[in-house]
Amino acid sequence: MFKIDLTKAMVLARVLLGLFLLTTAVSRFTPTDSGYFIKQLAVIGLPEFTWLSSLLGVIQLAVIAALIFPKQIFSQYLLYAYSLLALVPMAMLLTHPVWIDSLGGFPAIGAGQGLIKYLAIAGVSGYIASYYAGHQRLNHFSLKLAWAGVVLVMLWIGGMKFTQIEADGIEGLMSTSSLFSWLYELFSVLHASYFIGIVELLAVLSLVLGLRHRWSNSLGLAIAALTFLATQTFIVTLPAYELSHGFPMLTPSGQFIVKDLVLLAACILLYCQQACSASRV
């Protein structure tokens, strides 16, 4: 088994989480993001908190500082707080119109695909905090949360690949990328989506079987990690950034894609934990 040092894995996880926070925090101070949050508040009947987006940006920047100094008690509590805050978007699955009713009985998520990624983000944040705080129970729970987050994303988004709506939605992403555009030379738009879906569901099956078999867990984590790493190329090839503010800033699509950095961190931590457990046997 490929070995990875836990200390180095924690540094990498902090960097990946920090990159997600930094690249999305910048957008929080723009009218676009402010308008988005105002719209989401209106859906559940809350007033227009015009300052909410900027407040979230400040919180994200504070969490970045906590990632730089994770051994400080205040940093650990801040990371715990962000872990809880990251679960809030999951509640939007119940309060916002993110389900696609036209797909029969399958409860497919439309805009909610970005929301379900926050489960792994909460798990990774909690894991980092509990690791440096020495809270073993919270550490184990956070790792399970991260595992559930990876499985949820791969299962749901993988399942969506078998729908025409998703196939049409990802065509713009995949056709611009040299890593995926070749699929359209072999398959139709729908069947190329099927191919990606099969790979993603294979990762889910491997992760579930991995609860009993380490080799299967390693396979599932490898597939998921490569998937989350490959999606980052879309930021450049789509492109998923714009320069109207004088410097690169992620578009809404870019913010969706960059969340996969934290999912990649989750895969690294899960694999590292498995390797550490195997070394003790």
Side-chain angles (χ1 to χ4, degrees):
M1 178 183 292
F2 173 74
K3 293 184 179 180
I4 180 171
D5 180 75
L6 181 57
T7 303
K8 294 180 180 179
M10 290 302 302
V11 172
L12 184 54
R14 285 159 51 200
V15 170
L16 291 173
L17 177 58
L19 283 173
F20 155 70
L21 290 169
L22 179 60
T23 53
T24 54
V26 174
S27 300
R28 299 289 181 258
F29 300 97
T30 64
T32 300
D33 269 33
S34 179
Y36 168 80
F37 285 105
I38 290 174
K39 183 179 179 180
Q40 304 314 312
L41 291 172
V43 172
I44 54 178
L46 291 178
E48 296 184 0
F49 297 133
T50 56
W51 44 263
L52 179 59
S53 180
S54 297
L55 175 61
L56 291 174
V58 171
I59 291 174
Q60 289 183 214
L61 293 176
V63 175
I64 293 172
L67 289 170
I68 297 174
F69 306 103
K71 295 182 180 180
Q72 302 299 317
I73 295 178
F74 180 77
S75 295
Q76 294 157 12
Y77 282 120
L78 187 56
L79 283 164
Y80 277 136
Y82 182 73
S83 180
L84 293 174
L85 182 63
L87 292 175
V88 173
M90 297 288 294
M92 293 170 64
L93 295 174
L94 303 175
T95 60
H96 287 63
V98 297
W99 306 92
I100 304 176
D101 296 331
S102 62
L103 294 180
F106 182 67
I109 296 179
Q113 289 190 27
L115 300 178
I116 60 177
K117 293 184 179 184
Y118 279 101
L119 184 61
I121 292 173
V124 170
S125 301
Y127 185 87
I128 293 173
S130 57
Y131 171 82
Y132 288 102
H135 300 153
Q136 292 187 358
R137 289 187 178 180
L138 285 174
N139 194 249
H140 293 157
F141 175 76
S142 296
L143 198 66
K144 292 179 180 178
L145 203 63
W147 180 89
V150 172
V151 170
L152 177 63
V153 167
M154 296 299 284
L155 175 63
W156 219 308
I157 295 182
M160 279 288 294
K161 295 296 189 297
F162 294 89
T163 67
Q164 188 68 55
I165 291 176
E166 182 72 2
D168 293 337
I170 66 172
E171 183 184 6
L173 291 172
M174 295 174 57
S175 62
T176 60
S177 172
S178 58
L179 291 179
F180 297 99
S181 59
W182 60 269
L183 287 172
Y184 294 111
E185 298 178 5
L186 300 176
F187 307 110
S188 65
V189 170
L190 186 59
H191 289 110
S193 184
Y194 286 174
F195 179 85
I196 297 296
I198 290 171
V199 172
E200 291 174 339
L201 293 182
L202 175 61
V204 174
L205 178 61
S206 298
L207 288 170
V208 172
L209 292 176
L211 296 174
R212 297 290 300 273
H213 307 284
R214 285 197 176 101
W215 66 267
S216 183
N217 190 56
S218 297
L219 175 62
L221 290 174
I223 295 173
L226 288 173
T227 299
F228 300 137
L229 184 61
T231 59
Q232 300 311 299
T233 63
F234 295 146
I235 294 178
V236 177
T237 60
L238 186 58
Y241 65 91
E242 47 93 14
L243 302 171
S244 62
H245 295 274
F247 57 91
M249 183 173 293
L250 294 178
T251 64
S253 295
Q255 293 187 44
F256 171 80
I257 293 169
V258 80
K259 291 174 185 175
D260 287 355
L261 287 176
V262 190
L263 287 154
L264 174 60
C267 292
I268 293 171
L269 293 175
L270 286 163
Y271 179 81
C272 186
Q273 187 64 42
Q274 173 184 286
C276 291
S277 298
S279 66
R280 299 191 195 105
V281 177

